[in-house]
Amino acid sequence: MKSNILPKALTPGQAAARAGLSVSALHFYEREGLIHSWRTPGNQRRYDRAVLRRLGVIKTAQNLGIPLAEIREKLSALHPEDPPNKEQWADVASDWREDLSERIAKLTRLRDALDGCIGCGCLSVSKCPLYNPDDKAAQHGTGACYVESGGEPRDPGSA
Amino acid sequence: MKSNILPKALTPGQAAARAGLSVSALHFYEREGLIHSWRTPGNQRRYDRAVLRRLGVIKTAQNLGIPLAEIREKLSALHPEDPPNKEQWADVASDWREDLSERIAKLTRLRDALDGCIGCGCLSVSKCPLYNPDDKAAQHGTGACYVESGGEPRDPGSA
DNA sequence: ATAAAACCTCAACCCAAGTTGAGGTCAAGC
DNA sequence: GCTTGACCTCAACTTGGGTTGAGGTTTTAT
């Protein structure tokens, strides 16, 4: 630690520590076009403090299972260095909000299904939604679709 | 399709089609000890119909981002071939239910945070929870922890 | 002035979760 | 009795998301 005043630029180590990531991950994200840095005369990376927000968003989104490619796409709406303006950010955020809501709904449906299973001894084939593929799914070929409810079937190749 | 009466044993192709998976995935799951089959005199696999439930559970859990290793662990509580009894199943299910609740809570926290961002123009560093790592996280070294709220810090090696 | 810590690039490796393909066998219909 | 499709094994490949290590440079602290 060299000082307590907020530095205007972050070294890789600082950025990594503050984002809770490894330096190699920062390199990786940069190669993948998710973040941006500039160099010192001695060729070392420096990051704008704004990178921390990007990293926060990246980490968070990843945590949700959103692949980096998709994160990059959403983030590409924001200028790589400039602080994003309100509109841009709002667009990204509301896009993700929808995504999030969908995921929440899906998990909630599943949890409810699981609740049913726990409570009712529904192993009797006819009621348990987790058991159901057995009886119903043969009709359209995909299993466990009760939890998808609107997702694309994703034909896995064989039949 | 050879007949409409429910067969007692499923061929790989049937099982795959009804579970919405590929045959190669079934092989893979079997190698990994998640499912079980027996062989015909001619060395071809046959699956008990109960495998469909297992596959449903596997697929569903995977959908939640639960890694196969963990799924295997939970499923190992169930006899590989016998229909699981109520208690066993309830144990597994309620375990997962908790997992699910946690994930839902996390996603919901994130969505709310995002909502705040959209509504309030909180790009001003001081309020936005997605922006916050910048200001707060330096205090304990991990970023974006507002959304973790209880997760382990997971020191990534450097500093 | 020098030693240590942090940094650089590049290539190779790791894991998970499968898929793909080669080369061969089994089973069903005509 | 033969062709066709489903099946078998085994090894290699794929993608995503990084990590590790070698070999060399820059920056910082004393």
Side-chain angles (χ1 to χ4, degrees), chain B residues 53-95:
Chain B
R53 178 173 23 166
R54 274 196 168 238
L55 291 174
V57 172
I58 292 167
K59 243 186 121 180
T60 304
Q62 264 204 306
N63 228 295
L64 305 178
I66 298 170
L68 286 188
E70 193 177 327
I71 299 173
R72 173 176 46 218
E73 208 185 313
K74 297 265 163 86
L75 282 180
S76 69
L78 309 177
H79 292 188
E81 271 189 279
D82 297 355
N85 69 35
K86 252 162 101 161
E87 264 101 302
Q88 292 169 336
W89 175 239
D91 277 359
V92 172
S94 77
D95 240 35

Side-chain angles (χ1 to χ4, degrees), chain B residues 43-61:
Chain B
N43 195 37
Q44 302 204 344
R45 284 177 183 83
R46 287 300 178 267
Y47 298 97
D48 193 281
R49 274 154 40 64
V51 84
L52 294 177
R53 178 173 23 166
R54 274 196 168 238
L55 291 174
V57 172
I58 292 167
K59 243 186 121 180
T60 304

Side-chain angles (χ1 to χ4, degrees), chain A residues 22 24 29 62 67-68:
Chain A
S22 65
S24 71
Y29 292 157
Q62 260 206 310
L68 286 189

Side-chain angles (χ1 to χ4, degrees), chain A residues 96-144:
Chain A
W96 261 329
R97 210 203 92 97
E98 262 167 65
D99 234 67
L100 239 41
S101 290
E102 221 171 280
R103 277 163 196 268
I104 290 169
K106 199 156 153 183
L107 290 191
T108 303
R109 275 199 299 279
L110 179 65
R111 188 182 57 184
D112 291 350
L114 226 37
D115 276 351
C117 288
I118 295 166
C120 77
C122 59
L123 285 176
S124 48
V125 180
S126 51
K127 289 193 204 133
C128 179
L130 284 175
Y131 201 99
N132 235 346
D134 217 344
D135 295 322
K136 297 284 182 59
Q139 290 161 20
H140 37 46
T142 53

